[in-house]
Amino acid sequence: MKKLSLLVLMLLPFLGFAQTLSLNDGWTFSQADKETWYKAEVPGSVQRDLIRHKVLPDPFYGTNEKLIQWVEDENWDFKKSFTVTAEQLAHDNAVIFFEGLDTQADVFLNGSRILRSENMFVGHKVSVKNLLKEGENSLYIRFYSPVQSLMPARLTAGYDYPAGNDHRDEKLSIYNRKAPYHFGWDWGIRIVQMGIWKPVSLTFYDNARIDDFYVKQTKVTKEKAEIENIIEIYSNKETSAMLSVSAFDGKTEVQSQSKNVELKKGKNTFSVPFTINNPKRWMPTGWGEQILYDFTAKITTDNQEIAQKSEKIGLRSVRLVQEADEHGKSFYFEVNGIPLFAKGANYIPGEIFTTQQTSDYYEKLFDNMEAANMNFVRVWGGGIYENEEFYRQADERGIVVWQDFIFGCVPYPSDNDFLQNVKNEVVYNIKRLRNHASLAFWCGNNEVEEGLQHWGWDKQYSAEIYNNWLKGYDKTFRELIPDLVNEFDGTRSYIHGSPYDSNWGNPETFASSDVHDWGLWYGHLPFEGMADRLPRFASEFGFQSFPEMKVIRSFAPEDQWSLESDVMKVHQKASTGNSLIKKYMDMYYHEPKNFADFVYIGLVMQGNGMEESVEAMRRGRDYCMGALYWQINDDWPVVSWSSIDYYGNWKAQHYRMRDVFAPLALGVKFQDNQLNYYTMSDYLNDMNNLQLTVQVVDFNKGVVKQLKEKVNAKANASNIVKTFNVAEVVSESDKANTMIRAWLSDSKGNKISTKDYFFYWPNKLNLPQTDVKTSVKYADGKYTVTLTSARLAKDVFVEIPIMGAQFTDNFIDLLPGEKKVIEITSPELKAAARTPITVKHIRETY
């Protein structure tokens, strides 16, 4: 079989098919005008390779960040040679494809400059047949400092832009079309990279190639899917050809159409429409299957197939619904005609060294989304247009994607050259991503208009500068980009920016837009205050915590374990972050005994406080139809708003999000001395004949009262299903010693969702002193931990010194006499090693 496959591959060039060579291997790099050359990994970056070669220290450790900044001010050269055969040169054409160069660069091949790059987000295809030669060929790339190369722009502008997240005095990030987060952020390390950040390949072909295949879904209903297949072909000559498009459902062809076309030399665009009857529609997770059809476009000349391109397509309709109502204007997403409550998070690039995001990384990321019952993710505008694997995972798992264009938190230039650069970027990425079923929506930017209207820039700059920014905003985000979205997509909604028409300091604006509600955190609003200011759609909100101690140990020696130490300051990028964590902790918790306890309580506080906010939003549908918290992940080990730290450890928040985002979750609201229990369902069918069990639990005695009620959960809705007068359940004097545990179960007694309710935060509870007893069963890859306690142990945290270990549960309330079993899994766990496990609960911290 291997010999046969090899024979087929050898024959492919002579059967009219293209032959593609990877040019990723064999690169070396050097600081410009220096003699020392190092082996380069491609895809990669200068800084990543310099760390690999130990020229730079680990930037994550201690205060090493400052030791690597010199690299961004230098130019860097990359070179490689490759061999071309006479047989390859016999092809009609050869195209070299640089999928991503970061960022300002000149590319030379055999003595000729073939490309000048000015945008990290644009791939480049260059015809090089006339430059190639038999035998050895040479490629050379000079990457220019993204700081020094654009310094003249700053000098001639005469002022610095208000780019507060650009962690250098001279603000150059706004002139660069590269990942803004490379320049720093309020959770981000600054590593302004250069290099070949995406693959490089060389393709030899004859006659023609298919450059783009857009399966445009003009209308999709239960009865039929109307498709316009748009195929972009580059032909080396004028010729007649047959263009065919087919769609397969598995192995069964469901539709095909062919047409004779006349190819002119150069670029050609053709449309092949057809209809698929009774389509199997792609559905978001929890609503049905993620059906993906195989669409293929082929070109045939003289009865010989010369090119083809395939796409996996989920047929669905999706739109943003903004309609006037009695409150203001709605803001929600509708998939296949059904309103979707968006449960999810904002996603930042998972690595500061972007090319370390492997397919395994994306698989784990989406595993974590699925495990937390998410159906929605926002790709935030300060990072990158994500790699193909991100959207493929979203397609296959039914995670709906909100896509920002990559602009964030600062006004941008709007001169003709800059806008042409932006245009190239927008067209390239729309065409690259538009076939993905998961991609629901385009958003112009993150918080640019918010900054223009509410961050005081009009007071800091002259009227002329400020008015130019306003005009530039309109040119970019209200004219250029929406026109391009309409032209090159034509099926998805677009808004000029997020938040769309609101400001967190003015809750009266919440009734008509998505909201970034930073009343919690920056506005010092208490957690419980979030329920009184529900938005139509929360596209950002969050609360910080430190990562757990095993992560802190990875970057800080013990003498730096304090809020004001040099190392902790470097790993806390929000200017008031540590003081705000402490302020909230003083509001809700007893003062911890030590730094480790402070870190632990901060994790618990973030988790429980954010659960309160998210649950209020979910209870508040149909008025509120989305809760996308800030943020799911980190790009280095840092204090941040994430629910999963850089090493893949779930914080308390991720467990709480898992529970409150459950497809059918139980919620509770205490109001007017009543406990109102809600069912919050995403299921498309009613769930009837459920049982609600409510237990009154004394912290010392255990269960003292139990109530049971039959309830029904309405489909795709949130509803009060039972109200209890608290006075009939627990006396006022017992509230500090009592909790309420409630759960939903089905007709077979299987628990669906559990909800614990405490009347006060921990500093007003009489939590008992207790010892949590543990027993552990050790096996390779899995430890099974059994926990018991004679009295309530609140927010029990089980810790193991292995990064990324997975827990079936953690940060739990352990009731008197209850037995809780938690499984810990990791390939690093060995039965013989008996890796130590520690357990902590709130009462032990004071």
Side-chain angles (χ1 to χ4, degrees), residues 551-679:
V551 176
I552 293 172
R553 292 186 189 99
S554 76
F555 65 74
E558 190 169 355
D559 64 2
Q560 292 289 306
W561 293 358
S562 67
L563 291 184
E564 299 305 317
S565 73
D566 291 340
V567 172
M568 289 306 155
K569 287 179 181 178
V570 167
H571 288 76
Q572 166 59 280
K573 298 299 185 182
S575 57
T576 59
N578 289 348
S579 62
L580 271 176
I581 294 172
K582 187 175 188 309
K583 177 177 179 176
Y584 276 88
M585 198 175 293
D586 290 343
M587 290 167 58
Y588 295 121
Y589 291 84
H590 294 283
E591 184 175 354
K593 295 176 182 176
N594 52 48
F595 181 75
D597 286 346
F598 178 92
V599 168
Y600 155 67
I601 292 173
L603 287 163
V604 169
M605 179 170 65
Q606 180 198 36
N608 292 341
M610 286 295 290
E611 179 186 27
E612 189 161 328
S613 298
V614 172
E615 185 185 311
M617 293 170 188
R618 202 169 174 202
R619 289 195 311 258
R621 71 171 299 174
D622 295 317
Y623 178 83
C624 177
M625 285 297 289
L628 307 182
Y629 67 86
W630 185 270
Q631 65 210 68
I632 186 174
N633 63 312
D634 287 328
D635 74 333
W636 74 304
V638 66
V639 188
S640 83
W641 296 265
S642 69
S643 63
I644 303 174
D645 70 38
Y646 175 71
Y647 293 107
N649 305 298
W650 285 24
K651 297 181 179 180
Q653 181 180 351
H654 210 73
Y655 294 96
R656 300 289 79 79
M657 296 301 98
R658 175 198 64 185
D659 297 341
V660 76
F661 281 158
L664 174 55
L666 184 63
V668 62
K669 183 178 183 180
F670 177 57
Q671 188 174 29
D672 300 328
N673 217 31
Q674 292 183 324
L675 286 174
N676 297 306
Y677 280 94
Y678 289 71
T679 56

Side-chain angles (χ1 to χ4, degrees), residues 676-743:
N676 297 306
Y677 280 94
Y678 289 71
T679 56
M680 304 178 296
S681 178
D682 295 321
Y683 291 120
L684 299 183
N685 298 309
D686 292 345
M687 303 283 285
N688 297 324
N689 198 30
L690 304 176
Q691 182 168 278
L692 172 65
T693 303
V694 178
Q695 292 181 337
V696 181
V697 183
D698 181 276
F699 295 165
N700 294 283
K701 302 173 186 176
V703 178
V704 295
K705 187 181 293 185
Q706 180 169 289
L707 306 165
K708 293 185 178 182
E709 294 282 343
K710 292 291 184 182
V711 299
N712 299 322
K714 188 177 178 182
N716 210 25
S718 297
N719 295 97
I720 296 175
V721 293
K722 182 62 182 178
T723 297
F724 293 98
N725 291 319
V726 173
E728 298 174 5
V729 176
V730 60
S731 67
E732 191 67 27
S733 60
D734 282 338
K735 285 182 178 179
N737 307 289
T738 304
M739 62 172 287
I740 309 293
R741 170 163 288 181
W743 67 87

Side-chain angles (χ1 to χ4, degrees), residues 50 160 241 405 475:
L50 289 175
D160 271 315
F405 290 98
K475 282 202 294 187

